[in-house]
């Protein structure tokens, strides 16, 4: 009897109806960044003029698909930046939160700085519509005060993503 019930439940899962629409809003938690280094790594994705520092890597959980005019709600981009001498690192992220979030800046995007716990688990240092006062991006002489919306706001034609390798496809 249990076998028939299980079979009926599984069969009822695909009733031919379309999948539910994507979420209109996504709130990222620390666990959502957990495996970022296993995501698609976009080579040469860093926009060096926009992001001072050393070697940078960008990871994306959902690369844009053909015909997309905006990144999907729930898209997470993580940028790991190592200082030129390799003694320090910064990890920043942008998450497509969607809805009316950050409507006066890079619409729909939320900014993050992450750190790694001793076991490698990401921890959220700060998050929001912009960095806290005094937060810097980059290292040493090249460091600038973080103004996420100030720079990314200028890239509205690519849904506020600056990277030349993360262009929305035609």
């Amino acid at each position: 009897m249990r076998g028939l019930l299980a079979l009926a439940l599984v069969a009822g899962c695909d009733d031919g109806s379309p999948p539910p629409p994507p979420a209109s809003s996504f709130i990222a938690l620390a666990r959502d960044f957990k495996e970022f280094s296993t995501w698609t790594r976009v080579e040469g994705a860093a926009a060096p003029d926009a992001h001072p520092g050393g070697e940078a890597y960008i990871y994306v959980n959902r690369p844009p698909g053909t015909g997309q005019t905006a990144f999907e709600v729930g898209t997470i981009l993580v940028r790991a930046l190592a200082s030129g001498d390799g003694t320090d690192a910064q990890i920043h992220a942008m998450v497509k939160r969607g809805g009316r979030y950050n409507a006066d800046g890079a619409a729909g995007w939320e900014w993050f700085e992450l750190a790694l716990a001793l076991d490698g688990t990401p921890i959220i240092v700060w998050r929001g519509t912009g960095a806290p006062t005094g937060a810097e991006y980059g290292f040493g002489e090249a460091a600038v005060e973080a103004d996420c919306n100030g720079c990314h706001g200028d890239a509205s034609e690519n849904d506020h993503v600056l990277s030349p390798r993360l262009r929305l496809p035609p």
Side-chain angles (χ1 to χ4, degrees):
M1 183 66 162
R2 285 186 191 177
L4 288 175
L5 180 58
L7 183 59
L9 288 173
V10 170
C13 289
D14 185 14
D15 61 4
S17 61
S24 61
S25 187
F26 172 75
I27 298 174
L29 304 174
R31 68 176 179 238
D32 296 308
F33 299 98
K34 185 176 181 186
E35 303 291 331
F36 79 84
S37 64
T38 66
W39 298 346
T40 300
R41 181 170 144 175
V42 183
E43 298 295 332
D49 296 339
H51 298 114
E55 191 171 1
Y57 301 102
I58 295 180
Y59 302 90
V60 58
N61 70 333
R62 292 182 193 167
T66 303
Q68 279 185 239
T69 58
F71 286 84
E72 290 181 42
V73 171
T75 296
I76 302 174
L77 302 171
V78 175
R79 184 171 191 274
L81 174 68
S83 63
D85 61 8
T87 59
D88 205 358
Q90 291 181 350
I91 304 170
H92 290 92
M94 57 189 293
V95 174
K96 186 65 178 271
R97 185 167 170 161
R100 299 265 319 129
Y101 191 80
N102 199 11
D104 294 330
W109 291 97
E110 183 173 18
W111 314 109
F112 293 78
E113 181 174 351
L114 306 172
L116 298 178
L118 293 176
D119 67 357
T121 304
I123 300 166
I124 297 172
V125 176
W126 58 258
R127 68 183 303 158
T129 57
T133 303
E136 289 190 335
Y137 200 90
F139 301 101
E141 299 281 325
V144 296
E145 188 163 338
D147 178 17
C148 310
N149 283 316
C151 291
H152 287 266
D154 293 340
S156 61
E157 78 288 344
N158 195 51
D159 196 14
H160 304 286
V161 174
L162 292 171
S163 172
R165 295 281 176 103
L166 282 169
R167 294 277 174 220
L168 291 166

